[in-house]
Amino acid sequence: MSTTYSISDLARELDITTRAIRFYEEQGLLAPERRGQERIYSARDKVSLKLILRGKRIGFSLAECRELIELYDPTSGNHIQLNSMLAKITERREQLEQQLLDIEQMKLELDTAEERCTQALAQTISQVGQ
């Protein structure tokens, strides 16, 4: 028999709320079995949830997480999923590098604006004092 989890088991094990798990289920990222009102999560659901949480931490969208989950195929060694993940990691890294450049440029512009304001303020104060 394969391992199954209740929603509270997964929430406790992965340190997230049951509400978050239900949200991912509503988004179609998880598909637990139902026994009456009880949700029964499979090992695959747990792997999907781990992938969602990891993706979220590194800035992937839910659509990107969904795409990676759909590629999950343990029988093939997950080669397609892993290659897709590597491509997304490269893309995300490039986005972050560009954001860093943009932030550095913004800091330079702030420094320039601050310097001009400080000079203008000093000039205004000296003119008032004359």
Side-chain angles (χ1 to χ4, degrees), residues 15 23 32 37 51 57 70-71 98 111 114 116 118 128:
D15 195 28
F23 171 76
Q37 292 294 321
L51 186 58
R57 282 193 304 272
E70 289 171 355
L71 293 173
Q98 184 59 54
D111 290 345
E114 180 180 43
R116 287 181 180 167
T118 302
V128 171

Side-chain angles (χ1 to χ4, degrees), residues 101-120:
L101 292 173
D102 293 345
I103 289 169
E104 287 301 321
Q105 182 61 41
M106 208 177 300
K107 284 172 54 179
L108 289 173
E109 290 177 21
L110 286 170
D111 290 345
T112 302
E114 180 180 43
E115 186 178 326
R116 287 181 180 167
C117 287
T118 302
Q119 288 172 355

Side-chain angles (χ1 to χ4, degrees), residues 4-129:
T4 60
Y5 307 89
S6 70
I7 193 169
S8 56
D9 291 338
L10 280 181
R12 189 173 33 259
E13 191 170 329
L14 300 175
D15 195 28
I16 60 173
T17 64
T18 56
R19 183 176 179 188
I21 295 171
R22 285 191 296 273
F23 171 76
Y24 296 131
E25 183 182 341
E26 289 168 10
Q27 297 301 308
L29 297 167
L30 300 172
E33 288 181 39
R34 296 278 190 157
R35 287 190 198 140
Q37 292 294 321
E38 186 180 12
R39 293 170 168 90
I40 307 298
Y41 294 88
S42 67
R44 181 183 177 106
D45 290 321
K46 182 179 175 183
V47 169
S48 295
L49 193 50
K50 284 181 172 182
L51 186 58
I52 293 165
L53 297 173
R54 182 178 300 125
K56 184 177 160 189
R57 282 193 304 272
I58 59 178
F60 289 174
S61 68
L62 284 182
E64 289 171 313
C65 291
R66 176 179 286 108
E67 183 182 323
L68 290 169
I69 290 166
E70 289 171 355
L71 293 173
Y72 177 70
D73 181 11
T75 62
S76 72
N78 290 312
H79 297 292
I80 295 171
Q81 183 192 44
L82 293 170
N83 283 325
S84 181
M85 179 85 164
L86 286 172
K88 289 185 183 310
I89 287 170
T90 299
E91 183 180 322
R92 183 67 180 135
R93 182 172 279 123
E94 289 169 357
Q95 290 170 348
L96 289 172
E97 292 295 333
Q98 184 59 54
Q99 286 177 329
L100 281 172
L101 292 173
D102 293 345
I103 289 169
E104 287 301 321
Q105 182 61 41
M106 208 177 300
K107 284 172 54 179
L108 289 173
E109 290 177 21
L110 286 170
D111 290 345
T112 302
E114 180 180 43
E115 186 178 326
R116 287 181 180 167
C117 287
T118 302
Q119 288 172 355
L121 188 59
Q123 186 176 11
T124 303
I125 292 171
S126 70
Q127 289 174 351
V128 171

